[in-house]
Amino acid sequence: RKEVEQDPGPFNVPEGATVAFNCTYSNSASQSFFWYRQDCRKEPKLLMSVYSSGNEDGRFTAQLNRASQYISLLIRDSKLSDSATYLCVVRRNNNDMRFGAGTRLTVKP
Amino acid sequence: GAGVSQTPSNKVTEKGKYVELRCDPISGHTALYWYRQSLGQGPEFLIYFQGTGAADDSGLPNDRFFAVRPEGSVSTLKIQRTERGDSAVYLCASGRGQGETQYFGPGTRLLVL
């Protein structure tokens, strides 16, 4: 079993839709959590960190449930430019980041 | 300012050959990481440098892989006796320090024929 599991998708949604991605992690010692975005043939870029209290950045909301070892990302009012692969990332200590395989999102007009 | 740069952007080699991949981190970043990403997968951790020393090399798959960072800035990932299974995108990331946000370079696409 992989340490970080994500639904690979693809998720195909119309513009303006709300879409949610889920991620589970197996190592309870994980300390920090992130969502990265990766466009096709590009490098991953940090989208947002995920905090236990939940956090929001514009149309993006991230949630963490440590008891269930579950992380989520909600995107509201999807834009065409949101089309990308979203990578769930957990960090066990200060340097060891583990990435999920990513969830692919396509937003269509 | 300049981001992380990696060279070459693409590398095609034959099985059994030796390759070197270079990473130039963001100026002033002391932490440097190498990852490998295969098609349809997320990046897989290989090695982490803090300054000149390899603080964690637990992700290197075998002794054909080696990395150096002699002056605490540029790093080189070296792969000996390449195998077809080494084909992947090799990503480098740097950060201000341990635990800080990692910024990725564009990667080197390695194809071993």
Side-chain angles (χ1 to χ4, degrees):
Chain A
R1 184 189 170 197
K2 292 182 180 179
E3 186 164 338
V4 182
E5 299 265 16
Q6 293 182 251
D7 180 346
F11 284 65
N12 298 307
V13 303
E15 272 188 291
T18 295
V19 61
F21 305 139
N22 304 318
C23 169
T24 57
Y25 60 96
S26 59
N27 193 320
S28 59
S30 298
Q31 298 177 353
S32 306
F33 309 89
F34 310 90
W35 285 100
Y36 273 72
R37 169 193 170 130
Q38 187 170 28
D39 292 287
C40 188
R41 298 182 68 81
K42 298 289 188 182
E43 71 272 22
K45 292 185 178 178
L46 178 65
L47 179 65
M48 59 197 304
S49 301
V50 187
Y51 304 114
S52 297
S53 54
N55 48 299
E56 188 174 308
D57 182 1
R59 298 181 293 108
F60 299 83
T61 301
Q63 297 273 356
L64 166 65
N65 184 321
R66 284 186 183 269
S68 302
Q69 296 180 193
Y70 170 93
I71 306 161
S72 66
L73 177 67
L74 183 77
I75 305 176
R76 292 182 299 278
D77 188 23
S78 300
K79 310 292 185 190
L80 296 176
S81 58
D82 294 335
S83 297
T85 296
Y86 290 83
L87 298 164
C88 176
V89 186
V90 305
R91 187 160 60 194
R92 289 187 286 170
N93 52 36
N94 279 340
N95 46 277
D96 189 358
M97 299 220 300
R98 300 296 172 115
F99 287 76
T103 299
R104 188 172 166 189
L105 171 66
T106 300
V107 181
K108 299 186 174 180
Chain B
V4 179
S5 62
Q6 292 186 245
T7 55
S9 53
N10 293 280
K11 176 70 177 179
V12 181
T13 191
E14 293 178 343
K15 180 174 177 290
K17 298 289 188 183
Y18 168 82
V19 297
E20 289 190 352
L21 312 178
R22 175 188 167 110
C23 173
D24 207 331
I26 293 171
S27 178
H29 280 192
T30 59
L32 185 147
Y33 309 80
W34 282 100
Y35 294 84
R36 175 169 71 174
Q37 186 171 23
S38 300
L39 193 63
Q41 301 297 316
E44 172 193 14
F45 170 79
L46 296 177
I47 186 170
Y48 156 63
F49 287 90
Q50 183 57 46
T52 60
D56 183 352
D57 65 359
S58 61
L60 294 177
N62 52 60
D63 61 6
R64 296 187 297 105
F65 288 74
F66 188 71
V68 295
R69 195 185 185 198
E71 297 178 358
S73 178
V74 170
S75 176
T76 305
L77 178 66
K78 307 180 181 192
I79 310 174
Q80 298 177 318
R81 304 183 304 280
T82 52
E83 299 177 358
R84 292 193 180 90
D86 297 337
S87 298
V89 177
Y90 288 82
L91 292 162
C92 176
S94 72
R96 289 191 182 89
Q98 191 180 25
E100 298 288 332
T101 298
Q102 297 182 22
Y103 298 88
F104 284 83
T108 293
R109 284 167 181 75
L110 175 67
L111 177 61
V112 182
L113 299 176

